[in-house]
Amino acid sequence: MTRTRSGRLPSSPHQNLAYDSNEEEIEIAEEIEREDEQVDNESTIIVDPNVPVFQTIQTNAIIENGFCVLRSLGNGRYEIIQLSRFTETRMGEPDVGEQIECVSERKQLFTAMRASMRATVAKIEHACASADKENFPFMKLPTEIRDAVYEVSVKIPGPIRIRHSPFSATSRNLVLNLRCASSQVLAESNRYFYSNNFHVGEMPKDESIFNILQKVGQNMVEVTFEWWGWAQKDPTTLAFIKSLPKVKILNVSLTEYCVNGGLKSHKRQHLFQGVESIKKFNKSNGFDALVQFRGLEEVRVHRSPSLSLRPSNIDLNDDEIKALEVFLNAELTKPKIIKASTLGKKSKRVRSDDGDDDDDYEP
């Protein structure tokens, strides 16, 4: 295939095609072709240093307004594909595909353009929004002001509930879309977002949602566990919370089903059964899994909204809740247990009289 010296992309191996106002295909006269070649060497590019985004190309060649793809041919020559001149149908015809395929650099350019098209469209949208005064220069604000915005937009007083979707039943005051604005905003807002109290409920069955939960969980510091007395679900949820590396504060929310053994199918619990102060809780499903938590800095115990807002036959007073909180703080703030594989040798585990495991601990 022979390319013209003017750098135009012909629509067939031996023709240059353009569209008139009626979008009818016409041949460009050879005289115009020669005229373009004569002025081609006189073309210059002028860049305003104050506005480097916009470059001025000075040439007598006919270049229509619209979206273009530019490819360097070397020695100051360029191939220009004026996409706005042709319809989708025309660009998709076999002869155009053949001309793209036969020049490897041209094909690489089109492939790269297709991969970056979303970013290109986003740039155009941002430019239009800026021209229409719709963009706000948020990143030009002082750091202190941006921090104040993050504190009121991605941090809320109550817990963020995480159930069957990554963030369901969250406060309307939580502006998560702000974190999607840019990678810098995401990084800057992380310390405010992850200082929230995350309510982790039943583990989602959807793998993609669980993966999101697991990824977010890697930075959680404060977590709320609502104790429902399930024989399988509660221990599973607690096992997940235990796997989160940065959790330091655990809020235990008590429902009517975790008191006096609960109303659900009962599974025998083994630990701390002789402790009188927590006798209303130590027979409930999930108790053993809860009291084996280690490495926390603080445990808070309170009534669940489901127990506080509706009448219940459960006899539970504030002193009993406080006693459970004191007990859990004493146990759950102990150092984490070091696994035998970490020590490089087998550790002997001995069950003590109070139900705790006398094992090796991290300092």
Side-chain angles (χ1 to χ4, degrees):
M1 184 189 72
T2 303
R3 293 195 296 276
T4 63
R5 289 180 56 196
S6 62
R8 288 178 174 151
L9 172 66
S11 296
S12 66
H14 305 290
Q15 289 184 335
N16 280 331
L17 299 177
Y19 284 87
D20 63 9
S21 58
N22 296 320
E23 293 190 355
E24 294 179 355
E25 225 172 69
I26 60 173
E27 272 191 39
I28 298 179
E30 292 184 1
E31 290 79 6
I32 298 178
E33 179 83 34
R34 287 193 293 271
E35 181 181 344
D36 286 347
E37 291 178 2
Q38 291 173 0
V39 299
D40 192 53
N41 292 329
E42 301 174 0
S43 300
T44 58
I45 297 178
I46 303 172
V47 180
D48 183 351
N50 298 320
V51 192
V53 172
F54 302 96
Q55 297 181 351
T56 300
I57 299 177
Q58 184 174 325
T59 179
N60 292 328
I62 301 174
I63 302 177
E64 296 183 0
N65 293 333
F67 196 70
C68 297
V69 177
L70 202 65
R71 182 171 71 90
S72 174
L73 301 177
N75 297 322
R77 299 173 61 247
Y78 294 86
E79 178 180 76
I80 183 169
I81 303 99
Q82 301 184 62
L83 298 179
S84 57
R85 294 180 62 185
F86 303 99
T87 63
E88 295 178 12
T89 302
R90 180 69 188 94
M91 290 300 296
E93 289 180 356
D95 61 324
V96 176
E98 291 173 1
Q99 293 171 41
I100 294 175
E101 178 68 27
C102 68
V103 182
S104 61
E105 293 84 357
R106 187 184 290 159
K107 184 175 181 180
Q108 290 172 5
L109 176 62
F110 270 88
T111 301
M113 287 293 296
R114 180 172 62 180
S116 63
M117 188 53 64
R118 178 179 293 183
T120 301
V121 172
K123 292 174 185 178
I124 294 174
E125 289 178 348
H126 277 286
C128 292
S130 177
D132 295 336
K133 309 299 182 184
E134 295 176 358
N135 278 357
F136 181 78
F138 180 73
M139 298 311 298
K140 292 185 178 181
L141 293 174
T143 303
E144 295 79 4
I145 296 180
R146 295 204 304 272
D147 286 343
V149 172
Y150 298 141
E151 190 164 11
V152 299
S153 58
V154 301
K155 180 175 172 56
I156 59 175
I160 299 176
R161 301 183 67 87
I162 302 179
R163 287 184 174 175
H164 300 288
S165 61
F167 301 99
S168 62
T170 58
S171 168
R172 293 182 180 179
N173 296 325
L174 192 64
V175 187
L176 292 179
N177 287 343
L178 176 62
R179 288 170 49 78
C180 302
S182 70
S183 58
Q184 184 176 348
V185 170
L186 180 66
E188 289 182 350
S189 64
N190 270 344
R191 67 188 180 100
Y192 296 96
F193 176 69
Y194 287 113
S195 66
N196 280 300
N197 173 12
F198 293 88
H199 184 135
V200 180
E202 180 182 346
M203 291 293 96
K205 296 180 180 179
D206 187 297
E207 185 176 356
S208 61
I209 295 177
F210 177 78
N211 290 337
I212 295 174
L213 174 59
Q214 195 170 41
K215 184 175 181 180
V216 173
Q218 298 305 302
N219 293 297
M220 291 181 186
V221 176
E222 181 177 354
V223 172
T224 291
F225 164 67
E226 195 163 17
W227 192 1
W228 284 96
W230 292 106
Q232 295 295 331
K233 294 179 181 178
D234 282 0
T236 300
T237 301
L238 284 167
F240 173 77
I241 296 174
K242 290 178 186 178
S243 72
L244 306 181
K246 297 183 180 180
V247 171
K248 294 300 179 183
I249 301 174
L250 178 65
N251 298 282
V252 180
S253 184
L254 304 176
T255 71
E256 60 188 283
Y257 303 106
C258 70
V259 182
N260 292 327
L263 303 177
K264 304 180 187 298
S265 59
H266 176 63
K267 185 175 181 180
R268 184 180 177 185
Q269 306 299 299
H270 301 277
L271 304 179
F272 302 103
Q273 294 302 298
V275 181
E276 185 69 16
S277 62
I278 57 170
K279 63 181 181 179
K280 285 194 174 181
F281 308 99
N282 59 10
K283 293 179 175 56
S284 300
N285 291 330
F287 177 80
D288 281 359
L290 175 61
V291 297
Q292 292 183 80
F293 214 123
R294 293 293 183 270
L296 297 176
E297 293 181 356
E298 183 181 2
V299 181
R300 303 166 185 163
V301 181
H302 61 269
R303 287 181 173 86
S304 167
S306 63
L307 183 58
S308 302
L309 299 179
R310 72 168 183 245
S312 174
N313 296 324
I314 301 299
D315 180 20
L316 184 64
N317 59 51
D318 292 342
D319 290 339
E320 291 166 329
I321 294 176
K322 184 63 178 178
L324 177 63
E325 182 176 275
V326 171
F327 171 81
L328 291 178
N329 271 286
E331 293 298 323
L332 275 57
T333 56
K334 289 180 178 179
K336 287 184 178 180
I337 298 174
I338 301 177
K339 301 295 184 181
S341 58
T342 305
L343 293 172
K345 61 180 180 179
K346 292 184 178 180
S347 60
K348 185 178 180 180
R349 174 173 297 183
V350 180
R351 179 66 53 77
S352 62
D353 293 337
D354 63 357
D356 195 8
D357 290 332
D358 292 336
D359 211 337
D360 296 296
Y361 290 96
E362 290 181 351

